Amino acid sequence: DPSGKSISAGRLGRSAAGYADLTPQDVAVLVGANPMVAHGSPPILLVDPVKRLKQARANGLKLIVIDPRRTETANNADLLLQPYPGEDVAILGGMIRIILSEGWEDRAFCADYVGEQGIAALRAAVEPLTPDYVEARAGLEPGQLFDAIALFARDSRVGGVHTATGLCMAPFSNLAQHLAETINILCGRYLREGEAVHQMDPLAPRYPVHAEVMAPGRNWEEGGPSRIRGMYQMFGERPTGTLTDEILIPGKDRIRALILDGSNPLTSLPDQRKAAQAMAALDLLVSIDPWRTPSTHFAHYILPPRMHYERADLQWNPPGMNMFPG
């Protein structure tokens, strides 16, 4: 769902060591995230988020939440910014401008991994995003932008900016995620050599973790553009928004068979009538699903799988992400 995170990593690179676990953090910024309900926002607050967040705040964690809605998580924030929806880019860019103008960046980290030329280009790009402009555009109270980033970048040393689907499904989500990670880079908010590394999955084999940068790689360009609107791939897949045209428009490489693995295009794709027309036009449609859905109505074969808790081998262990508390 948050494809902007992969785009950002492909443009910027990422830290092989990942972020600090929640326990040692003295600050956390959550943008478009409500982990107290969603159990989301990797790498923090996936497991027992209510208890762990209350414990962290009792130990001194300062929580900054940026969300148009006063969520359950926002009710526990030390600072809550409630902007107009879709203004994440302006807010995050404005925060970057303040960091650079006030000299709050981690200069040693930036010297090693960014360089003077990169900092200069970034400074020029965010120059128009003055606090007055951002606050007026985003509907924030005067001084809120400065107070939030001062607490994060000036007054705190451990903790990062974390995002979830509220940001990643909003307008300009790729750029917004890019800017959120840029703040983490400017302030050097990653694990360093000698710091405790979190074993993410006790059932998975251990592997060495190094405090190093993994180079960017625009892997979405590897498969080349598709025949429909020239779209590129993510995770080896084309955007689902082009699926109906891939099925219905004649031509070379037209999709004639489809396997749905727990997917329900009739309710998840835009334009349900067109989606139904596309499913009906297939020569073969196989649906793997424990339930009947609007999409299984068009299936030639329905294969019912076991449910998640009927299997013991389903593990999720993405590198650099702390999935379970220490």
Side-chain angles (χ1 to χ4, degrees):
D1 48 351
S3 58
K5 295 189 176 187
S6 296
I7 296 292
S8 174
R11 291 170 172 171
L12 289 168
R14 60 189 179 90
S15 167
Y19 311 88
D21 190 26
L22 181 66
T23 304
Q25 293 189 25
D26 51 18
V27 69
V29 179
L30 299 179
V31 188
N34 187 20
M36 292 191 75
V37 171
H39 292 244
S41 310
I44 60 173
L45 295 175
L46 275 87
V47 177
D48 201 356
V50 176
K51 179 180 178 181
R52 294 184 65 230
L53 181 57
K54 288 182 177 179
Q55 289 175 338
R57 294 194 71 236
N59 291 332
L61 174 77
K62 299 298 184 182
L63 180 64
I64 303 166
V65 173
I66 304 173
D67 202 304
R69 177 174 170 263
R70 182 177 284 274
T71 63
E72 291 80 358
T73 304
N75 284 331
N76 290 271
D78 295 278
L79 285 178
L80 170 60
L81 278 60
Q82 286 188 273
Y84 300 138
E87 292 297 336
D88 308 292
V89 167
I91 292 170
L92 295 167
M95 288 180 166
I96 291 171
R97 186 186 188 279
I98 293 172
I99 290 171
L100 294 175
S101 64
E102 297 291 334
W104 294 340
E105 70 272 21
D106 185 326
R107 296 183 181 181
F109 189 86
C110 291
D112 288 340
Y113 298 111
V114 181
E116 293 182 3
Q117 185 175 355
I119 293 293
L122 179 61
R123 192 187 302 274
V126 299
E127 180 58 31
L129 299 176
T130 64
D132 290 344
Y133 169 78
V134 171
E135 287 167 348
R137 174 183 175 125
L140 300 176
E141 296 295 326
Q144 276 193 315
L145 192 71
F146 185 91
D147 290 345
I149 197 59
L151 177 58
F152 177 84
R154 182 192 66 190
D155 303 337
S156 306
R157 291 292 177 265
V158 181
V161 178
H162 307 291
T163 66
T165 51
L167 176 143
C168 293
M169 293 185 176
F172 311 108
S173 58
N174 289 345
L175 177 56
Q177 179 61 41
H178 191 121
L179 295 177
E181 203 58 48
T182 297
I183 294 176
N184 289 329
I185 293 171
L186 284 175
C187 298
R189 298 304 173 87
Y190 306 99
L191 289 173
R192 309 296 181 91
E193 186 175 357
E195 293 182 324
V197 174
H198 187 85
Q199 177 62 23
M200 292 165 285
D201 185 346
L203 300 180
R206 292 183 178 270
Y207 55 88
V209 177
H210 303 284
E212 61 185 4
V213 170
M214 301 178 72
R218 302 169 68 90
N219 54 16
W220 58 87
E221 296 179 350
E222 293 175 358
S226 71
R227 72 186 188 101
I228 304 299
R229 302 207 301 270
M231 302 298 290
Y232 287 88
Q233 297 183 8
M234 283 296 295
F235 310 113
E237 300 176 355
R238 303 290 184 191
T240 51
T242 66
L243 177 60
T244 51
D245 286 336
E246 292 278 12
I247 296 171
L248 294 172
I249 296 178
K252 186 178 182 296
D253 297 326
R254 178 185 179 188
I255 292 177
R256 305 303 308 139
L258 188 65
I259 298 176
L260 304 178
D261 188 0
S263 174
N264 188 11
L266 264 292
T267 59
S268 59
L269 291 180
D271 193 340
Q272 286 188 341
R273 290 186 178 89
K274 188 174 182 180
Q277 182 185 1
M279 297 302 107
L282 289 165
D283 294 337
L284 175 64
L285 177 61
V286 178
S287 180
I288 305 172
D289 207 301
W291 314 105
R292 287 190 176 274
T293 70
S295 298
T296 63
H297 173 77
F298 295 93
H300 299 92
Y301 298 94
I302 303 174
L303 306 179
R306 290 181 177 179
M307 301 292 285
H308 284 71
Y309 288 118
E310 295 179 296
R311 298 183 58 172
D313 61 333
L314 295 176
Q315 298 296 328
W316 191 37
N317 187 31
M321 288 292 184
N322 302 339
M323 294 294 126
F324 303 97

